[in-house]
Amino acid sequence: QHRHDDEGQLRGSVTVGLFGTIRQQVGQLRKARDELQNANITLEERVKQRTQELKEAMSKLEVLASTDPLTELPNRRAYLGRLDEAISIWRRRDAPVSVILLDIDLFKAFNDTYVHQAGDAVLVALAKPLKTVLRTIDLPARMGGEEFAVLLPGEEPTGAMNLAERLRKELERSSVDYGGSKLNFTCSFGVSGLPSANGAAEMGPEIRQQF
């Protein structure tokens, strides 16, 4: 009888010990699981953060690669890309597109009479009306030196002529204060475009033949 009681107590002690060990191991597994989940969440957050930082850096590089640093206008690369796109849209959808080209008159005289910084000030002054007079969909750009271009998506050549005249008058009124002197400048303009079918119909027969 005593032997059976001892065996029962022994089994009970072993069982309690086993349950205690199991509970401890389960607790350790839960702790390890929680730590792993937290580590995964932290890793995912870091990956998301790094991905966002990379996207922002790429976006800044793209802006730098397509922007003229002096005037802060789009550069030739950005302009030509948009021009190709606008011509493709004209071919597919009969949507007109026009271009205004402008060049500062006697620009070399500013650099020869004053210094190159004076010429830079004139270029910056020219860029300001291009940013304010135009529509948001239009694309003014510095093509190089004192040469600029304006892309006018959806604009018939006749409308581009009117806009070019507005810009000419606006720039004619502009002046630049530099070194105690007021520098005035004018620009020469050229306009070209691809009209829609309706726009071409309103032109003379000699012009329509070009399209």
Side-chain angles (χ1 to χ4, degrees):
Q1 181 66 36
H2 291 293
R3 183 170 61 83
H4 291 302
D5 291 341
D6 291 340
E7 290 178 355
Q9 291 177 1
L10 180 60
R11 291 193 190 98
S13 298
V14 171
T15 301
V16 171
L18 286 174
F19 276 119
T21 301
I22 292 172
R23 280 197 298 268
Q24 183 180 4
Q25 292 178 348
V26 170
Q28 291 174 350
L29 288 172
R30 288 176 177 172
K31 181 180 179 182
R33 181 200 61 189
D34 294 341
E35 291 176 350
L36 182 60
Q37 287 179 344
N38 291 335
N40 287 337
I41 292 173
T42 302
L43 181 60
E44 289 178 1
E45 290 176 350
R46 289 181 179 177
V47 170
K48 288 181 180 179
Q49 181 181 357
R50 292 292 186 271
T51 302
Q52 182 62 30
E53 291 174 353
L54 180 60
K55 288 181 179 179
E56 292 175 357
M58 292 296 291
S59 178
K60 290 179 181 179
L61 286 175
E62 179 62 27
V63 171
L64 290 174
S66 59
T67 303
D68 173 57
L70 177 63
T71 62
E72 297 183 352
L73 291 175
N75 58 18
R76 176 191 291 268
R77 172 179 175 270
Y79 178 86
L80 293 178
R82 282 280 302 276
L83 177 62
D84 288 342
E85 179 183 346
I87 293 175
S88 296
I89 294 175
W90 170 74
R91 288 172 175 162
R92 296 195 311 267
R93 306 178 186 174
D94 190 35
V97 56
S98 297
V99 171
I100 298 175
L101 301 177
L102 58 149
D103 189 289
I104 300 176
D105 298 327
L106 305 175
F107 180 74
K108 188 174 182 295
F110 291 107
N111 294 330
D112 293 342
T113 305
Y114 302 94
V115 291
H116 284 280
Q117 286 80 358
D120 289 347
V122 171
L123 293 172
V124 172
L126 185 150
K128 291 180 179 179
L130 296 183
K131 297 175 183 177
T132 56
V133 174
L134 300 175
R135 305 168 301 175
T136 55
I137 64 171
D138 299 333
L139 183 72
R142 183 185 179 192
M143 304 300 286
E146 69 275 22
E147 300 172 355
F148 293 77
V150 181
L151 180 65
L152 304 171
E155 187 66 70
E156 302 283 0
T158 51
M161 289 286 292
N162 296 331
L163 179 57
E165 179 62 16
R166 283 178 55 198
L167 284 173
R168 187 193 67 78
K169 292 180 179 179
E170 185 72 22
L171 293 174
E172 194 175 42
R173 292 191 294 265
S174 299
S175 62
V176 179
D177 293 323
Y178 184 83
S181 300
K182 180 171 287 189
L183 308 181
N184 296 96
F185 62 93
T186 58
C187 295
S188 297
F189 285 77
V191 177
S192 184
L194 299 171
S196 64
N198 291 335
E202 297 176 358
M203 299 177 178
E206 69 283 357
I207 298 179
R208 287 199 301 270
Q209 291 176 359
Q210 301 178 25
F211 305 100

